[in-house]
């Protein structure tokens, strides 16, 4: 019986190369470090004020409540089951 083996083009190596994975992890860590480097600078304060402004909670509720409602109705219908 033949075994199933992945066949790759001679010039293409599978993505199991540890150097590639290490590089991607390093770049990801550096980007997140740079993004959180200045939490109290003036630009950061302006962005926080615009994102977490006075309408933040209203928009958050408008985004979350439909999912909670659909989830609650789905759980209720699952709990009572379908009629047989």
């Amino acid at each position: 019986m033949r075994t199933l083996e992945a066949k790759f083009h001679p010039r293409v190596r599978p993505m199991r190369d540890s150097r590639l994975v290490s590089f991607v992890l390093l770049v990801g860590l550096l980007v997140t470090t740079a993004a959180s480097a200045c939490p109290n600078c003036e630009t950061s304060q302006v962005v926080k004020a615009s994102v977490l402004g006075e309408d933040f909670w209203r928009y958050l509720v408008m985004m979350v409540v439909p999912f909670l409602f659909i989830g609650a109705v789905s759980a209720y219908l699952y709990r009572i089951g379908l009629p047989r």
Side-chain angles (χ1 to χ4, degrees):
M1 182 174 234
R2 292 175 42 183
T3 60
L4 297 174
E5 293 181 12
K7 295 185 179 182
F8 297 100
H9 191 271
R11 293 183 187 174
V12 177
R13 288 186 283 170
M15 200 172 144
R16 291 185 219 139
D17 191 4
S18 63
R19 289 180 291 166
L20 177 63
V21 173
S22 300
F23 177 74
V24 169
L25 287 174
L26 179 66
V27 168
L29 288 173
L30 290 176
V31 168
T32 57
T33 302
S36 64
C38 185
N40 294 326
C41 63
E42 184 177 332
T43 307
S44 169
Q45 297 296 327
V46 171
V47 171
K48 283 181 191 175
S50 67
V51 171
L52 300 175
E54 57 193 44
D55 294 333
F56 172 73
W57 292 107
R58 183 172 51 165
Y59 292 139
L60 182 66
V61 168
M62 286 191 312
M63 293 298 293
V64 170
V65 167
F67 293 104
L68 291 176
F69 180 73
I70 291 171
V73 169
S74 299
Y76 176 72
L77 292 175
Y78 179 77
R79 179 83 173 159
I80 64 171
L82 295 175
R84 294 179 190 213

